[in-house]
Amino acid sequence: MTVGRFKAIASAAVVLLAGMAEAQVTVQNGVQYATHDGVPLYGDLYLPSSAGPHAAVMFIHGGAWKVGSRSGYASSWGPYLAERGYVVFSIDYRLSTPTTPTWPQALLDCKAALQYLRGSAAALGVDPDRIAVGGDSAGGELSSMLALTQDWPAFANRYPGDAFAAVSTKVEAVIPAYAVFNMAAWWRWTKIGYPTTALEYTSLDELFGGSPSDVPGAYLEASPLEYVRMSATSLGDLALPNDGVDAAWFVTWGMEDPIVPAEEQSIPFVKALRDAGADVTAVGVPNIGHFWFSKSALTGQRGMSPSCTIAPGNFVVCPGATPNDFIAPRLLEFLGNHL
């Protein structure tokens, strides 16, 4: 894709963003990366002012696979990482409804976005061999699935009309935040821990079109934990190779999360990754629960405030250092080491 054509399909704005780097970042909103089943799919790009090629991070928003938007990263990791020399691509994907399941379509959309990012690398100033994926909650599950199914034939060429359908979906690093890694376990949790009117209560039933007893294969197929466990070194010759285990992982969660409890999700996943020989950085964040990865500020302060509150829209407001401030130094170190 030429630079001229790329600019033609995006609305571009250059903004001066505050921060340690005082760097100019180009923000291109509404970049169409694919059309699947008649649905146009968009992402927002955050581009450094310095000459590339740059490492890139693609972020996938959360929202129980049924709500949410790529704009969630507009006031957090998008500009923050672009200021520091990373291209950031924050994407939308198809969301489920009570009558329209979106598995595996949501994953296929994310794969197409990754292919677009790599396929457009020259125009975007991206090093195609230095791409990471990440996301929060549902987006953490999808980013983990991208890493654990990269270039698998079962998920390849499902949309042969995509401009970059033949491009690899390989990634070098993965950044899931308070993600769901075991779908059946989280389905059980939603039936115990939520009123029937809660967003989460029906989220997996809508994503898959049924319960674990109705569509057990879908719940298994969408659970990153199952893929990693099949690669455990303790299995010896029975262990299945998986390129996702060769990627570097930065797994983070809130230590007081009642929505996706780390004890059932992130912590067992980290253990499974280590059992499979993966390179894992695990960061539990004290005094906080859910939502914060895409909905708390980056202020440059150190530590973690003991008294953050949840404001309307699930934004996390802290009188001092935020959860993202808490993880930022380690995440930057991780990216510097692995991209």
Side-chain angles (χ1 to χ4, degrees), residues 132-159:
V133 292
D136 61 302
S137 198
E141 180 268 342
L142 288 167
S143 61
S144 299
M145 286 299 299
L146 277 177
L148 293 164
T149 65
Q150 50 188 295
D151 293 338
W152 280 28
F155 296 101
N157 296 312
R158 299 284 284 271
Y159 289 94

Side-chain angles (χ1 to χ4, degrees), residues 12-13 16 18 33 39 125 133 137 155 167 170-172 206 212 214 228 243 248 255 283 291 314 318 330:
L16 187 63
Y33 66 82
V39 178
V133 292
S137 198
F155 296 101
V167 171
K170 179 178 174 59
V171 299
E172 293 298 308
E206 293 176 13
D214 298 324
V228 176
D243 288 339
M255 296 172 68
V283 183
F291 304 118
N314 291 324
C318 305
R330 293 192 67 180

